[in-house]
């Protein structure tokens, strides 16, 4: 339990919920529910990094990387265009991450 980017056992999550594999099968995308972030795990070197959201800062904000805010993301999927689709559960909406931009996709949000 906790939050840390890093390699292997150094990385920490707080209730990881949904997992999806990238189209090229190089990494996993993980909804880190109680850290309010979307994380990636490289299958080549086991490194974990945060792609969107900021740990312990829940909210609803579209933006790049740590500027984006989620509230308890619970699942992820990858679509045919390589975008990551996120179930932003407590914001009651579906969001899309495309080219490192978090976009409002469906639902009211907030």
């Amino acid at each position: 339990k906790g939050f840390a980017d890093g390699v292997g056992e150094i990385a920490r999550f707080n209730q990881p919920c949904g997992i999806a594999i990238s189209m090229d099968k190089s990494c996993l995308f993980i909804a880190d529910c109680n850290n309010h972030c979307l994380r990636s795990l490289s299958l080549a070197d086991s490194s974990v990094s945060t792609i969107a959201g900021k740990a312990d800062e829940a909210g609803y904000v579209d933006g790049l990387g740590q500027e984006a805010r989620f509230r308890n993301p619970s699942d992820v999927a990858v679509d045919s265009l390589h975008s990551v689709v996120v179930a932003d559960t407590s914001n009651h909406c579906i969001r899309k991450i495309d080219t490192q931009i978090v976009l409002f996709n469906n639902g009211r949000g907030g």
Side-chain angles (χ1 to χ4, degrees):
K1 184 175 176 177
F3 177 85
D5 286 341
V7 179
E9 293 180 13
I10 293 170
R12 294 284 178 258
F13 296 88
N14 191 354
Q15 196 174 354
C17 294
I19 298 174
I21 193 162
S22 62
M23 295 296 283
D24 65 3
K25 299 187 179 4
S26 66
C27 72
L28 297 176
F29 297 106
I30 304 158
D32 193 355
C33 188
N34 287 343
N35 277 325
H36 312 290
C37 297
L38 180 66
R39 317 279 294 282
S40 68
L41 167 65
S42 167
L43 296 176
D45 65 4
S46 299
S47 63
V48 173
S49 59
T50 303
I51 359 183
K54 190 169 182 184
D56 297 324
E57 291 194 24
Y60 182 87
V61 176
D62 293 338
L64 295 172
Q66 288 191 1
E67 294 173 7
R69 294 291 179 271
F70 300 90
R71 188 175 306 277
N72 305 111
S74 63
D75 207 359
V76 293
V78 178
D79 69 14
S80 61
L81 300 174
H82 304 270
S83 298
V84 179
V85 181
V86 181
D88 193 359
T89 303
S90 294
N91 279 323
H92 312 286
C93 63
I94 305 298
R95 308 211 18 227
K96 183 176 183 178
I97 299 174
D98 185 16
T99 319
Q100 297 183 331
I101 299 173
V102 179
L103 303 168
F104 172 73
N105 188 355
N106 187 10
R108 185 169 79 47

